[in-house]
Amino acid sequence: AKNYSQEFPKRFQKDIVKAAITANGSSSKRQFNVPANNISADGIEHVLQNIGMGDRMSRSEIEEIIREVGDNVDGGESSCVISENQMLDLISRTWEDHHHGLNQPEH
């Protein structure tokens, strides 16, 4: 059975996704309607800014990830979105990779 410390990140990840969905409509840069429960580059950028990590990824890097993983909404290059599940998958993969590396013995 998983212990609490392994379960916490999943709840935290879901909160991050919810914040990104909420932030979709808050940017003046948004030029298309984001379908419900999807995340645009604006949403991810907003979350990164809120957690003090806005300088870790450029806007073009965020958009590139969304283009690779997501779906195009209206044919425009900057109108790609990812679903809640796609973002959760990206976050959990990153978290697991990071923590797996921390648990490895040093050579």
Side-chain angles (χ1 to χ4, degrees), residues 86-103:
Q86 288 170 320
M87 186 164 175
L88 279 170
D89 187 46
L90 287 172
I91 293 170
S92 60
R93 228 183 298 153
T94 302
W95 186 87
E96 287 170 9
D97 289 348
H98 174 73
H99 287 278
H100 180 71
L102 293 178
N103 294 329

Side-chain angles (χ1 to χ4, degrees), residues 5-6 9 14 21-22 25-26 28 35 39 46 49 56 58 66 71-72 85 88 95 102:
S5 65
Q6 291 172 323
K14 288 180 181 181
I21 290 170
T22 301
S26 65
S28 60
I39 297 104
H46 180 81
Q49 291 292 335
R56 299 293 293 267
S58 69
I66 290 182
D71 298 312
N72 195 302
N85 288 337
L88 279 170
W95 186 87
L102 293 178

Side-chain angles (χ1 to χ4, degrees), residues 45-106:
E45 189 174 50
H46 180 81
V47 168
L48 290 173
Q49 291 292 335
N50 279 352
I51 63 172
M53 302 295 253
D55 61 339
R56 299 293 293 267
M57 289 184 80
S58 69
R59 174 69 181 211
S60 61
E61 289 172 318
I62 295 168
E63 289 175 349
E64 182 178 335
I65 290 169
I66 290 182
R67 276 194 304 273
E68 287 179 20
V69 175
D71 298 312
N72 195 302
V73 177
D74 68 5
E77 184 156 314
S78 64
S79 59
C80 290
V81 296
I82 58 176
S83 69
E84 286 180 83
N85 288 337
Q86 288 170 320
M87 186 164 175
L88 279 170
D89 187 46
L90 287 172
I91 293 170
S92 60
R93 228 183 298 153
T94 302
W95 186 87
E96 287 170 9
D97 289 348
H98 174 73
H99 287 278
H100 180 71
L102 293 178
N103 294 329
Q104 297 299 310
E106 292 187 32

